[in-house]
Amino acid sequence: MNYQWYPGHMTKAKRQMQEDMKLIDLVIELVDARIPLSSRNPDIDELGKNKYRMILMNKSDLADPAKTAAWSAYFQEKGCYTVCLDARSRNGMKKVNDVIMQACREKIERDRKRGIQNRPVRAMVVGIPNVGKSTFINSFAGKACAKTGNRPGVTKGKQWIRLNKNVELLDTPGILWPKFEDQEVGLRLALIGSIRDEILNTDELALELIGIFKRDYPGLLHERYGTDEAAEALQILEQIAKNRKCVSKGGVYDYSKAAALAIEDFRSGKIGAVTLEAAPNAGQARADAEGVRQGGSE
Ligand code: G4P
């Protein structure tokens, strides 16, 4: 699903999220592990400042494992619990459940001391469009999920999914708006397919992508397309067109077709497991941590 964000749209989403925040203990934020920073909206730090916080590094099957580990450490240093995930699989879901329990242990302990038993942790899933929120909810809830419907004392119309005796999830995820202001951020969002392709210049996007591969992942383009690593990005695009027979009627190379092919191959992980942005240096997270509840690390 693609959204066109405009100020009114953002204000409405923000207001809705502020309302939903009142109902929950824990914010489960999904980011795309290939661009962990560009795929998040930092406003969530303010919106969820009094809540327990968890960041799921989703689509980690497509991301560079070493960089995913560095990003996890960064977010943990900021006071968020983290789990690396492929939301399409149910394999990681026990881990998610365990980490929810860790993240909310203060509350669970407080309830226990007051003699309150079995009051589930209430959580909400948030993230920018296409990051995998619905996929995650489906995998996490599985078949066992039961919608609990409207509950007395809870805002009318809210549906909760009872996952097990410990956790309840708001069934509609909170949609965060991507931040396009920074050109680099816009570029990365475009590369992972979070901006509608019709409004993009695919050729330019592919040249940027080739540049990133040349700089950060030398050898991968050669492995996939047999291209010359030392060549300029445009020449590499031409080599891709040649080697993949992207030729238009008059026998000229079809750069756009080659560009679309490279972008698609990147998005589906065929070129390799790649992360487009590096985690800030250790210590930076502490400086950034203002406004984030200190919850400890995984
Ligand atoms: P959203 O609710 O946040 O908007 O995202 P949604 O769950 O709709 O997921 C967006 C796309 O990302 C889907 O692909 C989904 O299958 C895919 N996806 C979600 N999590 C993961 C993951 O961990 N790894 C990978 N590789 N892909 C993931 P789609 O192309 O829109 O649909 P489909 O082709 O899978 O049916």
Side-chain angles (χ1 to χ4, degrees):
M1 210 186 308
N2 275 293
Y3 292 79
Q4 293 298 330
W5 290 99
Y6 56 94
H9 205 153
M10 278 181 235
T11 313
K12 192 162 171 243
K14 211 165 183 171
R15 205 176 303 126
Q16 181 62 52
M17 208 167 289
Q18 270 160 346
E19 284 305 306
D20 288 344
M21 284 290 167
K22 293 179 192 157
L23 308 173
I24 58 153
D25 308 298
L26 169 73
V27 178
I28 302 177
E29 179 188 355
L30 268 76
V31 300
D32 190 307
R34 294 167 297 173
I35 51 166
L37 212 57
S38 299
S39 61
R40 73 188 297 264
N41 185 319
D43 288 0
I44 192 64
D45 290 340
E46 179 62 28
L47 283 162
K49 70 179 172 205
N50 297 317
K51 304 294 166 184
Y52 300 109
R53 299 285 302 280
M54 204 166 144
I55 292 188
L56 303 183
M57 314 271 298
N58 196 36
K59 307 201 185 183
S60 52
D61 53 302
L62 300 172
D64 177 340
K67 288 191 179 157
T68 302
W71 275 109
S72 290
Y74 169 81
F75 288 128
Q76 286 171 14
E77 211 182 305
K78 268 170 80 89
C80 297
Y81 285 77
T82 61
V83 178
C84 304
L85 207 64
D86 172 352
R88 296 165 309 166
S89 146
R90 280 186 56 77
N91 287 342
M93 299 306 155
K94 176 167 184 323
K95 173 103 188 266
V96 173
N97 197 60
D98 291 348
V99 176
I100 290 177
M101 293 296 104
Q102 277 180 47
C104 299
R105 65 185 185 281
E106 263 174 32
K107 171 204 138 48
I108 295 165
E109 184 57 19
R110 206 169 46 233
D111 280 357
R112 199 186 59 79
K113 281 192 181 138
R114 289 181 187 154
I116 304 168
Q117 275 178 358
N118 298 334
R119 190 166 74 179
V121 167
R122 293 196 198 117
M124 175 167 71
V125 173
V126 305
I128 64 166
N130 211 37
V131 79
K133 297 179 294 300
S134 314
T135 309
F136 169 70
I137 292 175
N138 285 338
S139 292
F140 193 39
K143 287 196 189 84
C145 84
K147 288 196 178 170
T148 56
N150 296 339
R151 299 175 345 156
V154 171
T155 313
K156 227 176 144 201
K158 291 288 165 203
Q159 293 258 319
W160 294 85
I161 306 171
R162 182 79 183 244
L163 296 169
N164 50 45
K165 69 179 187 348
N166 302 319
V167 185
E168 267 185 5
L169 207 61
L170 204 54
D171 83 332
T172 39
I175 300 166
L176 291 167
W177 47 103
K179 275 202 163 311
F180 299 114
E181 291 96 355
D182 179 339
Q183 275 208 335
E184 285 290 307
V185 171
L187 169 72
R188 290 169 191 155
L189 286 164
L191 283 172
I192 65 157
S194 274
I195 299 174
R196 273 193 307 170
D197 282 346
E198 305 94 83
I199 59 171
L200 298 169
N201 181 331
T202 317
D203 297 8
E204 269 176 32
L205 207 56
L207 291 174
E208 294 283 354
L209 183 66
I210 291 169
I212 294 172
F213 271 99
K214 269 168 64 79
R215 189 189 65 214
D216 296 343
Y217 293 95
L220 285 187
L221 286 177
H222 173 75
E223 242 171 72
R224 173 123 190 118
Y225 303 112
T227 51
D228 171 13
E229 287 289 324
E232 294 294 317
L234 188 60
Q235 285 173 301
I236 293 181
L237 188 60
E238 187 175 298
Q239 289 168 8
I240 295 174
K242 184 175 165 206
N243 296 348
R244 288 305 166 101
K245 306 204 171 16
C246 303
V247 183
S248 50
K249 272 188 194 140
V252 291
Y253 293 128
D254 187 338
Y255 287 88
S256 298
K257 197 169 171 191
L261 176 84
I263 292 169
E264 186 44 45
D265 281 355
F266 160 69
R267 287 179 184 163
S268 57
K270 287 187 185 127
I271 306 180
V274 162
T275 298
L276 298 178
E277 54 195 12
N281 295 333
Q284 182 63 46
R286 267 192 295 273
D288 294 346
E290 215 164 279
V292 179
R293 185 192 178 95
Q294 290 301 309
S297 56
E298 191 188 328

